[in-house]
């Protein structure tokens, strides 16, 4: 089946991003397609390039980036959630004069239309929240 | 219909009040505590027998909870089982 | 990377339930949730908006969030019919918990029993909450 994932909570403060990541690993292992992971509300902080957890802890942001580079899973950060919270993608940052490297590798910034497309194209849509 | 619940309290209560025959509920994250036998009893013990109750094994293990302390009706799944529950039930409601 | 992404020309029509079970004030999540609802309508999906639990209070008249510099969501709720979102339902049992009657609601909504709502939910493709 095709699965669409939405993450609504920031990493570390809530288990949502961990649960979602483990679920996605198991879904891929079982041969399912993860159509897209959409980061919404405070979930956008999962894409925070400058996150630097202590060396003996899981690196949630890097783990997402690896999911994209190794498994090709589409990671999309909501542009309006991100702009409101100060996480700007390069082209947006250039336009408004923000910090240019805010978004980690493997994530792309786009609008809610991509959430909707993901939902429509998928057999299941799962939301992980706080 | 599958309900995925991640915490006890109001969130679990609101979910339980809306469960009907043949629904499936999966306890994840802090909600796995609801699987444990308590005094007074947890809201889980009040559910009709035609409702299936699952708990996510790794969330139990992470919190040092074992099946012996839980209600007999609880079934346990790992993440592969979580994926199967999602595949076998539609729609899915995430309660958080 | 562009902001909109590439969308297929023809998308299915799915039945999407948007469940509001908490207040729309206090944080931005309610406001961002309404954005998803409007986007679903823009994609010509079959949209149902359901108020239940504490969420029934989101329909009270005379909300004045402006006194806290918070955004008033009522203009958005008033706009739902403009987006062809006419399937707005409120759970009867939750109305009773708060002693609310239909004429106390700020927008036109159908009061439906919990068991009838459940029947409708079972036929939905995807459910959204926040």
């Amino acid at each position: 089946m095709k699965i669409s994932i939405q993450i609504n909570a920031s990493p570390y403060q809530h288990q949502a991003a961990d649960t979602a990541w483990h679920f996605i690993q198991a879904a891929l292992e079982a041969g399912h397609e993860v159509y897209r992971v959409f980061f919404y509300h405070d979930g956008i902080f999962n894409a925070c390039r400058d996150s630097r957890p202590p060396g003996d802890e899981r690196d949630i942001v890097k783990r997402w980036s690896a999911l994209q580079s190794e498994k090709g899973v589409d990671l999309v950060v909501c542009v309006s959630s991100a702009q409101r919270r100060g996480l700007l993608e390069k082209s947006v940052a250039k336009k408004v004069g923000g910090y240019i490297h805010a978004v980690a590798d493997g994530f792309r910034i786009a609008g809610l239309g991509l959430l909707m497309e993901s939902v429509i194209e998928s057999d299941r849509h799962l939301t992980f929240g706080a | 219909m599958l309900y995925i619940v991640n915490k006890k309290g109001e969130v679990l209560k609101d979910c339980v009040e809306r469960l009907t025959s043949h629904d499936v509920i999966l306890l994840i994250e802090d909600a796995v505590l609801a699987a444990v036998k308590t005094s007074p009893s947890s809201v889980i013990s009040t559910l009709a027998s035609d409702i299936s109750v699952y708990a996510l094994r790794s969330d139990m293990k992470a919190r040092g909870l074992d099946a012996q302390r839980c209600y007999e009706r609880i079934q346990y799944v790992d993440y592969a089982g979580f994926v199967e529950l999602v595949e076998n039930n539609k729609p899915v409601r995430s309660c958080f | 990377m562009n902001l909109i992404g590439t969308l297929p020309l023809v998308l299915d029509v799915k039945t999407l339930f948007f469940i509001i079970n908490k207040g729309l004030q206090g944080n931005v999540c309610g406001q961002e949730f309404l954005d998803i609802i409007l986007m679903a309508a823009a994609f010509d999906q079959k949209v149902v908006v359901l108020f239940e639990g504490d969420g029934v209070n989101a329909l009270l008249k005379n909300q004045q969030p402006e006194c806290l510099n918070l955004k008033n969501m009522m203009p958005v709720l008033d706009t739902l019919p403009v987006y062809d979102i006419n399937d707005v339902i409120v759970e009867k049992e939750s109305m009773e918990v708060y002693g609310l009657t239909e004429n106390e609601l700020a927008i036109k909504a159908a009061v439906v029993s919990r068991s009838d709502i459940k029947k409708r939910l079972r036929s939905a493709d995807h459910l959204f909450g926040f």
Side-chain angles (χ1 to χ4, degrees), chain C residues 87-101:
Chain C
D87 207 348
V88 179
I89 56 181
V90 189
E91 192 193 70
K92 183 169 164 283
E93 285 80 351
S94 300
M95 296 266 288
E96 286 164 2
V97 166
Y98 283 97
L100 290 173
T101 55

Side-chain angles (χ1 to χ4, degrees), chain C residues 7-64:
Chain C
L7 297 176
L9 290 171
V10 183
L11 289 166
D12 288 350
V13 176
K14 299 230 162 142
T15 302
L16 310 178
F17 265 74
F18 292 88
I19 304 170
I20 295 173
N21 63 355
K22 47 185 81 107
L24 295 176
Q25 305 302 342
N27 64 45
V28 80
C29 293
Q31 184 185 334
E32 290 177 335
F33 189 68
L34 295 180
D35 288 341
I36 305 183
I37 300 176
L38 299 184
M39 185 57 75
F43 273 70
D44 293 327
Q45 300 300 296
K46 198 171 172 327
V47 173
V48 186
V49 183
L50 162 62
F51 292 84
E52 66 171 33
D54 292 349
V56 297
N57 295 292
L59 294 174
L60 286 179
K61 293 172 185 167
N62 201 30
Q63 297 180 49
Q64 299 168 61

Side-chain angles (χ1 to χ4, degrees), chain B residues 3 18 20 23 90 93, chain C residues 52 91 118 121-122 125:
Chain B
Y3 290 76
R18 290 170 177 82
T20 50
D23 278 340
K90 187 186 170 186
R93 177 164 181 187
Chain C
E52 66 171 33
E91 192 193 70
K118 188 59 177 271
L121 280 177
R122 286 187 186 284
D125 289 300

Side-chain angles (χ1 to χ4, degrees), chain A residues 30-104:
Chain A
H32 299 296
E33 179 189 346
V34 175
Y35 190 84
R36 180 168 294 142
V37 184
F38 194 86
F39 297 88
Y40 202 53
H41 303 306
D42 279 1
I44 59 109
F45 290 116
N46 282 274
C48 193
R49 176 180 288 275
D50 287 331
S51 165
R52 290 288 181 278
D56 61 342
E57 287 179 23
R58 71 209 188 288
D59 190 327
I60 293 180
V61 176
K62 282 218 167 68
R63 208 162 62 176
W64 287 122
S65 295
L67 187 72
Q68 195 281 324
S69 63
E70 290 162 20
K71 308 276 173 63
V73 174
D74 190 18
L75 309 177
V76 174
V77 177
C78 172
V79 63
S80 54
S81 285
Q83 276 192 247
R84 181 174 279 127
R85 293 165 179 81
L87 194 83
L88 306 180
E89 186 260 337
K90 209 178 263 183
S91 65
V92 181
K94 268 186 190 153
K95 215 183 298 170
V96 301
Y99 173 50
I100 210 151
H101 289 301
V103 178

Side-chain angles (χ1 to χ4, degrees), chain B residues 32-42 45 66-74:
Chain B
V32 292
L33 278 170
V36 179
K37 279 184 203 159
T38 51
S39 170
S41 4
S42 151
S45 66
D66 62 67
Q68 270 142 19
R69 289 179 53 204
C70 296
Y71 292 103
E72 285 77 15
R73 64 175 303 159
I74 309 278

